[in-house]
Amino acid sequence: MPYLEVDDLHVGYGQIAALKGVSLSVEKGQLVTLVGANGAGKTTLLRTISGLLRPSRGSVNFDGQRIDAMEAHKIAGTGLVQVPEGRRIFGRLTVSENLELGAFTRNDKAEIMADKERMMTVFPRLKERFRQLAGTLSGGEQQMVATARALMARPKALLMDEPTMGLSPIMVEQVFDTIQTIHAQGVTILLVEQNALMALSVADYGYVLESGHIVLEGQGDALVDDERVRHAYLG
Amino acid sequence: MAVQIPEDRLKIARLSRISIVDVLLWALRIGVLGVVIAGTIGTLINGRYGWTQWVDFVVFGLTLGSIYAQIALGYTMVYGVLRLINFAHGDFMMSGAFSAFFVANAFYRSGFLESHPVPALLCILITSMIVSTAVALLAERFAYRPFRRVVGLAPLICAIGVSFFLQQTFRGMFGSSIRAYPDPSWQRATISFLGIEVQAVELLVIGLAVLFMIGLYLIVQYTKMGKAMRAVAEDGDAAALMGIDVDKVVVFTFMLGGAMAGIAGVFYCFVYKQVYFYMGFTPGIKAFGAAVLGGIGSIPGAVLGGFFLGLVESVGPALFLDGLGIPGPYQLRDVIAFTLLIMVLIFRPNGILGERLGKKRA
Ligand SMILES: Nc1ncnc2c1ncn2[C@@H]1O[C@H](COP(=O)(O)OP(=O)(O)OP(=O)(O)O)[C@@H](O)[C@H]1O
Ligand SMILES: [Mg+2]
C-alpha cells in the first residue's frame, strides 16, 4: 500500500465540482510533483488531504490510516504537514513564535529548542530576524518561515502548495534547493508547482491535473519530455 | 488609449463627492471639540474643583476603567478568535456578580466578611470567576459552536439571544429586585495620602485588576495555548494545519474572557454595591465600546479603551460640562462617554490600536 494514497476523490464547492475523481499515490520517501493550470484544483486537493475540506466521495489514506474524515489538526498530528498556498504565516507573531507553533503537536521541549536552532542554520537569513514580526519579512523570507514552521513538526510527509509563488528567480532556485535537501533527509513530499519544468525535473514521479481530472502521469523526466506537457505548461 | 476628461468636469466630480453628510459630520466634530474646549477652559477658570477633587475623579475613573478594561478584554479576545461580537458578555459578568453576591451575603451574615476580609474576598473572587467561566463555556458549547461556520448576522443574533436568555433566567430564579451587596467596614475604609482621602476599595480594585491583566498578558504572550490563541486569531485554517485544535483554543478563549468577566463582576459590586438581572447590560455595552475604541481584536487596545472610557466618564462631566454652566453634569456622564467614543471612531474608524479589518485574512 502506498504511503499516501488518494482514491477517486470528489470535492466540490456548493454546486461547483472542483475535483472529479482524482486518484494518485506517493510512495514513502518519494518526491512527487503535481502540476496544472490555474484553477485546475491543486489547492483543493491539498486542502482536502489536510482535512480542511471534506470530500463528497473517495478516500485518502496516509501511513496505513484512513484520514479523509479526520479533523485537520489530527491529520497534522499524524505527521502529514502542509505548507499552504500563499505561505499563511502568522504575521503578527514573531519568527520564533511561528516556529514554536509549528512544533505544536510535539511535547519534547528541549528537542524543540534544538530544532529551532537547527532551522537557523538551514535558513541563516532568519537568524537576525528571529524576534521580528513575521509579517514584516520579505516574501522569500516568509517562505522560509513557512517551510521552517512545517519542518518544526518533524513531518513524515510534506504537502507544499506553490512554494515559489511570487519569488525572484534566485529565490526560486533556493527554494528548490531546500526542497531537495528536505527530500534527501527522507521526508516524503507532494509538491504542487507552477514552475512545471523545474518541479518535474527534480521529481521522482509527476501528475498533471486539468479541470479536476488527472490527465497524465509518469516519471518526472519522462513528463518533461512529453509533447503535451511541453505544449501546455512549458511554453 | 487615454481618455481626455475636461478639467471642469473633474472639478465637479471632486466637489460632488463632498456631500451634505460630510459637511454635517465636520460641523459635528468641530462643534463637539468646541464644547469640550470651551467647557474645559470655563471649568479651569472657575476653579470650582480643588486638586483633591480632581484626584478623586481620576481615581474613580481608573476604578471604572479597570472594570471596563476587564470586560472589554473578553469582547476583544472572542472577537479576535471567532470574529463574533459576543453580545452576552456583559451577562457573563452579571452571572458572576450574582454568585459573588450570594457568597458575600452569607459571609456577611456570619460575620466572616467583616472579620476576615482577605480569605472572604478570595472566596468571592474565585466563586465569581468559576460561575462566569462556566456560563461562558456553556454558551460557547451550546449556543455559539453550532453557528461557528455560519456567515452573516445569525451568530450575532444568537449572541443577543444568549444575552436575553441569561437575563431572564436570572430574573426568573432570583426576581427582578435590586439587591444590596453587603458593605462591611473594610469596604468603606479610606486611605489618606498627602492630604488626599482615597477609597481603599478603589485602590484595591485598580491594583487587583492590573495584576490580573498582567497575568492575562503573560498567559497570552508566553504559554503554548496563548500563542495558539494568537495564531487562531490571525488564521484559523493555518493554525489547524499546524496541529492546533481550534475548538480547544476557542474554549480556552472563552475561559479567559469568562474569568476576567467574573472578576469584573466582583469589582462592579464593590463600586455600585448592588446586583440585579439587568446589571450586565450597560457595562457590557460600554466595555464593547471600549474594545472598539481601542481597536477590536487588540488586547492592549481593550485595556487602553477601558481606562480611557472610565476616565472620560469620571472626569468628563466636571471638566467639560461644569464650565458651561450645565446643571447636574453627572447625569450626563454616559452621554459624554458615548459622544467621545463616537468622536474617536469618526477620526479613527479602526480604533486607537486597531488595524484595517479589510486587510486581515487576505
Ligand atoms: N472557496 C471556493 N469557493 C468556490 N469555488 C472555489 C473555491 N476555491 C476554489 N474554487 C474553485 O475550484 C476550482 C479549483 O480551485 P483551486 O484553488 O483548487 O485551483 P488551483 O489549481 O490551486 O489554482 P491555482 O494554480 O490558481 O492556485 C477553481 O475553479 C476555483 O474557482
Ligand atoms: Mg492553488
Side-chain angles (χ1 to χ4, degrees):
Chain A
M1 197 178 192
Y3 201 44
L4 173 66
E5 185 174 41
V6 174
D7 186 39
D8 189 31
L9 208 62
H10 289 70
V11 184
Y13 298 97
Q15 290 303 307
I16 310 157
L19 298 184
K20 306 157 191 165
V22 169
S23 300
L24 60 77
S25 55
V26 182
E27 298 295 338
K28 191 163 186 162
Q30 260 188 336
L31 168 52
V32 171
T33 292
L34 177 70
V35 297
N38 292 118
K42 307 180 296 291
T43 300
T44 304
L45 176 62
L46 291 203
R47 287 173 65 82
T48 310
I49 296 174
S50 276
L52 293 175
L53 293 172
R54 292 276 165 250
S56 53
R57 225 170 91 193
S59 67
V60 182
N61 282 279
F62 174 66
D63 201 10
Q65 206 177 352
R66 188 161 173 176
I67 60 168
D68 50 79
M70 234 188 233
E71 287 170 287
H73 68 94
K74 289 198 178 128
I75 293 175
T78 66
L80 179 58
V81 176
Q82 182 175 162
V83 183
E85 184 177 54
R87 324 192 212 297
R88 308 278 286 265
I89 55 160
F90 305 115
R92 276 175 281 158
L93 273 59
T94 65
V95 171
S96 166
E97 286 169 338
N98 268 276
L99 297 196
E100 283 164 31
L101 284 168
F104 189 82
T105 52
R106 294 169 53 188
N107 285 315
D108 42 348
K109 233 175 168 172
E111 286 286 294
I112 291 173
M113 282 305 166
D115 278 4
K116 242 166 64 167
E117 288 302 313
R118 226 162 42 81
M119 288 306 151
M120 295 306 98
T121 57
V122 180
F123 304 102
R125 289 274 281 278
L126 297 186
K127 193 160 187 162
E128 305 123 59
R129 294 165 178 78
F130 211 51
R131 301 264 158 240
Q132 207 169 313
L133 294 187
T136 64
L137 302 188
S138 76
E141 289 159 357
Q142 293 193 8
Q143 184 60 49
M144 294 177 197
V145 174
T147 310
R149 182 179 67 174
L151 290 177
M152 287 297 292
R154 292 202 176 169
K156 294 187 208 153
L158 263 189
L159 307 170
M160 303 185 85
D161 196 347
E162 300 197 28
T164 64
M165 190 164 69
L167 300 186
S168 68
I170 296 178
M171 285 308 299
V172 171
E173 296 261 357
Q174 272 194 28
V175 170
F176 270 98
D177 283 347
T178 311
I179 291 170
Q180 283 173 286
T181 313
I182 298 167
H183 181 222
Q185 283 163 2
V187 179
T188 308
I189 298 178
L190 176 57
L191 171 68
V192 164
E193 257 299 332
Q194 291 279 348
N195 288 302
L197 181 59
M198 269 177 113
L200 288 172
S201 59
V202 300
D204 299 311
Y205 202 79
Y207 291 90
V208 179
L209 189 66
E210 220 175 87
S211 317
H213 296 282
I214 299 282
V215 291
L216 210 61
E217 63 180 277
Q219 302 288 323
D221 31 11
L223 280 187
V224 173
D225 295 331
D226 190 288
E227 209 35 58
R228 288 165 294 179
V229 175
R230 284 208 161 264
H231 185 73
Y233 302 106
L234 307 176
Chain B
M1 196 184 80
V3 182
Q4 283 288 328
I5 300 172
E7 187 63 21
D8 52 336
R9 288 274 292 282
L10 270 179
K11 225 179 246 164
I12 293 168
R14 227 174 278 141
L15 275 181
S16 64
R17 241 181 277 141
I18 303 172
S19 68
I20 185 87
V21 176
D22 286 327
V23 174
L24 281 177
L25 274 179
W26 273 104
L28 175 83
R29 290 171 211 187
I30 293 166
V32 171
L33 216 66
V35 169
V36 166
I37 291 170
T40 306
I41 292 173
T43 306
L44 294 181
I45 289 176
N46 258 341
R48 251 203 337 120
Y49 300 97
W51 70 288
T52 54
Q53 271 157 312
W54 288 118
V55 171
D56 247 8
F57 289 144
V58 169
V59 172
F60 185 63
L62 291 175
T63 310
L64 281 184
S66 46
I67 295 173
Y68 294 152
Q70 283 184 299
I71 305 174
L73 280 167
Y75 274 107
T76 227
M77 287 189 296
V78 166
Y79 181 84
V81 167
L82 287 183
R83 298 292 178 278
L84 167 77
I85 292 164
N86 176 17
F87 206 80
H89 193 66
D91 303 296
F92 296 172
M93 182 211 92
M94 177 271 291
S95 316
F98 251 97
S99 66
F101 162 79
F102 285 117
V103 175
N105 217 21
F107 283 168
Y108 190 60
R109 289 224 196 88
S110 71
F112 186 67
L113 190 61
E114 189 69 63
S115 58
H116 295 86
V118 175
L121 178 59
L122 268 180
C123 283
I124 292 168
L125 271 175
I126 290 170
T127 309
S128 183
M129 280 164 84
I130 290 175
V131 170
S132 280
T133 306
V135 170
L137 291 184
L138 288 174
E140 192 279 324
R141 184 64 193 82
F142 294 108
Y144 297 148
R145 195 173 296 183
F147 284 90
R148 186 79 62 74
R149 297 259 162 200
V150 180
V151 288
L153 281 177
L156 176 66
I157 293 167
C158 169
I160 294 173
V162 171
S163 172
F164 277 119
F165 176 83
L166 287 174
Q167 286 171 13
Q168 298 309 321
T169 305
F170 274 79
R171 182 191 199 168
M173 286 196 300
F174 307 117
S176 56
S177 60
I178 294 178
R179 295 156 185 252
Y181 186 84
D183 195 20
S185 59
W186 57 266
Q187 262 171 240
R188 276 171 278 137
T190 55
I191 292 174
S192 293
F193 183 72
L194 295 175
I196 308 161
E197 293 241 309
V198 187
Q199 296 271 325
V201 78
E202 290 182 345
L203 295 185
L204 180 75
V205 166
I206 298 169
L208 282 180
V210 167
L211 220 71
F212 281 117
M213 286 191 274
I214 291 173
L216 179 78
Y217 172 81
L218 294 177
I219 289 173
V220 171
Q221 201 65 24
Y222 297 112
T223 66
K224 200 169 169 178
M225 273 316 259
K227 287 173 195 170
M229 187 175 126
R230 287 185 286 140
V232 171
E234 206 168 317
D235 189 333
D237 277 353
L241 288 180
M242 297 302 109
I244 295 169
D245 184 346
V246 175
D247 277 349
K248 255 193 204 157
V249 170
V250 170
V251 165
F252 179 73
T253 308
F254 272 87
M255 254 172 68
L256 288 181
M260 292 308 264
I263 299 162
V266 176
F267 292 170
Y268 188 90
C269 291
F270 282 174
V271 173
Y272 291 102
K273 304 195 167 57
Q274 59 187 31
V275 291
Y276 56 106
F277 75 96
Y278 201 55
M279 66 185 282
F281 182 76
T282 312
I285 289 286
K286 283 185 185 163
F288 170 59
V292 173
L293 182 69
I296 190 138
S298 157
I299 287 179
V303 175
L304 212 68
F307 278 112
F308 180 83
L309 194 66
L311 280 174
V312 165
E313 210 181 300
S314 161
V315 180
L319 189 60
F320 306 146
L321 294 186
D322 212 86
L324 299 174
I326 292 173
Y330 291 97
Q331 312 284 318
L332 295 176
R333 38 186 265 195
D334 288 357
V335 176
I336 293 188
F338 283 111
T339 308
L340 270 217
L341 232 150
I342 293 167
M343 291 297 289
V344 172
L345 289 179
I346 288 174
F347 288 110
R348 279 194 66 94
N350 300 308
I352 303 169
L353 298 182
E355 53 200 275
R356 224 149 270 149
L357 288 178
K359 87 168 199 215
K360 263 181 207 163
R361 339 195 122 183

